[in-house]
Amino acid sequence: MLDIKRLEENPQHYKDGLAARNGDPALVGQVLELNQKRRSLTTSVENRKAETNKLSREIGELKKNKQDAQALMDQVNALKAAMASDEAELGRVQEEQTAILLTIPNQIDASVPHGKDENENVEYRRWGAPRAFDFKPSDHADVGLKLGMLDFEAATRVTGARFVFLQGGLARLERALINFMMDHHLKNDFVEVLPPFIAHERSLIGTGNLPKFKDQLFKLEDTDWYLIPTSEVTVTNIKRDMVLEEKEFPLRYCAYSPCFRSEAGSHGRDVKGLIRMHQFNKVEMVCLTTPAQSDAVHRAMIDSACNLLEQLGLPYRAVQLCSGDTGFASQKTTDLEVWLPTQDKYREISSISNCEDFQARRANIRFRNAQGKMEFVHTLNGSGLAVGRTLLAILENYQREDGSVELPEVIRPYMGGLKELLPAK
């Protein structure tokens, strides 16, 4: 959530920021207007309360001296009625102001290039040369079907579209990739977390998933619980409503979890294969740190995810998202995109964001700095990596003409020394 004081100090800056995100700058004016009403009503309530207390003391004196206090009592009753009306209106104004503030995205960092959509993102790193095939490569879904290890049909019977059964070697490869990724992050001083896969509404508000992305979430009936769309939600909230000490930072967490997304509005896009599923596995990095450290922590998270792709031998590129493509809670984001030969392009496999104090304000995560002053922490998150997309990238980039798939050398120890996956006979 935005800081209302900063917004008041420089409203045009925030209007420009909303415009850069393809948002509605008028929201800033609405918030400021409501804030003026809130202040006026707060002053009115406080003044009436003070006057009521003053008159009450006078009434006490009159009664003590056996004098008539009815006129003053009538004034007190009128003041209390007016105060009750103001308090009710104040509650309504505060609720409306909060509702609007919760829909306003984070401010864009000054380093973020301005642009309308993904076509104006800026590539700044590329690693690995796409493989030159001497045969026409097959789509990852077809490779998996030939291996006899992907079963979309059974998943559709059991659950519905956009679910899959992984079997045999691919099920083992998915598990191996999770362990490989988690081990990598542990070597980089992350603390392993196995989080809840269900979060309450307040936690989703804290990370910015609610109310903005309500239509993309799976809600449990008759509760305020949701299946998590990413473990960013639960892990970021691990310190909600707490005050930390500066010496504790940076806090680095890594977590494996399944992720659940309804993918509302994406019908017709990537409907085949593993690109866009309702349920998928992901290893997530989440860091909590001080404002002074957050840029360095962000760079380290990007480097860590890049290193995973390099160990796996998967060509990728790193792009800085432009203002119009940066996520709701983020101030700046780098996407890592892995090469998919059958699509002849790079596709997102990791998104690594610095949210600065935006999520911490919503989740009330603060720290006491060296001077003893309270500040909001900076929160950062990033995929390290999306497991299903890593698996499909291996299928496409390491496939052979006979339908077998070579396994990256680094993953073989996690597969019991297995070097390849062979097609079903």
Side-chain angles (χ1 to χ4, degrees), residues 172 176-177 179-180 183-184 187 410-417:
R172 189 176 185 183
L177 286 169
N179 288 333
F180 162 65
D183 285 351
H184 168 80
K187 291 173 186 175
V410 74
I411 208 70
R412 293 174 188 174
Y414 293 89
M415 296 286 289

Side-chain angles (χ1 to χ4, degrees), residues 156-174:
T156 300
R157 288 197 308 271
V158 170
T159 309
R162 298 196 184 186
F163 291 91
V164 68
F165 276 103
L166 299 181
Q167 300 178 27
L170 282 189
R172 189 176 185 183
L173 178 57
E174 180 99 353

Side-chain angles (χ1 to χ4, degrees), residues 135-148:
F135 62 94
K136 184 179 179 180
S138 297
D139 175 88
H140 69 273
D142 293 330
V143 175
L145 291 171
K146 289 177 184 176
L147 289 171

Side-chain angles (χ1 to χ4, degrees), residues 376-394:
F376 286 99
V377 307
H378 279 197
T379 64
L380 303 95
N381 63 80
S383 312
L385 302 160
V387 183
R389 291 195 179 192
T390 305
L391 182 143
L392 73 87
I394 290 172

